[in-house]
Amino acid sequence: QVHLAESGGGLVQAGDSLRLSCAASEHVFTEHAMAWFRQAPGKEREFVAAISALGNTHYANSVKARFTISRDDAKNTVYLQMNSLKPEDTSVYYCAAGSTFALFPAQYAYWGRGTQVTISS
């Protein structure tokens, strides 16, 4: 059974850092690209960052140089290190797994339930 579980969200102030984690079922992690998306109230789900099975990464322009995606194959976990957080980063953050290294939600087959990140100004 495919399972993705996010953790690490919370309420922080602008300029602070957070690290999100996504623990994955082994057979998902080793065969798929992993990504983070986010969705704010009333907005569409948007791409944040992705990492391929080989470790190639891609970021949305809005988070480039502030966020870093990484994966620990031994722990079946993908991380999103978020620095210099801004109020506009406030969203529910979702972990996703897909067979291709892609930027669109429809291209990811498996999703976690999300973790809330709130940045106060």
Side-chain angles (χ1 to χ4, degrees):
Q1 183 176 357
V2 174
H3 181 67
L4 299 175
E6 303 96 335
S7 61
L11 170 63
V12 298
Q13 294 185 332
D16 286 351
S17 298
L18 277 176
R19 189 177 80 158
L20 305 183
S21 299
C22 174
S25 305
E26 181 176 355
H27 75 280
V28 172
F29 198 80
T30 57
E31 299 171 0
H32 294 75
M34 304 295 294
W36 288 95
F37 288 80
R38 65 187 183 186
Q39 188 167 19
K43 295 188 177 181
E44 293 186 353
R45 192 165 297 189
E46 65 172 358
F47 172 79
V48 176
I51 186 166
S52 72
L54 297 178
N56 298 313
T57 59
H58 187 76
Y59 298 92
N61 287 334
S62 60
V63 306
K64 199 172 294 184
R66 297 190 298 124
F67 290 10
T68 303
I69 189 171
S70 61
R71 58 194 295 159
D72 186 333
D73 289 0
K75 296 182 178 180
N76 297 324
T77 301
V78 62
Y79 302 99
L80 186 68
Q81 178 66 43
M82 306 186 294
N83 298 329
S84 303
L85 284 161
K86 305 175 182 180
E88 51 263 44
D89 293 319
T90 295
S91 280
V92 177
Y93 283 71
Y94 296 92
C95 175
S99 58
T100 59
F101 184 50
L103 308 183
F104 301 99
Q107 295 171 295
Y108 287 84
Y110 306 112
W111 292 85
R113 294 186 176 184
T115 184
Q116 176 70 47
V117 172
T118 304
I119 314 302
S120 63
S121 57

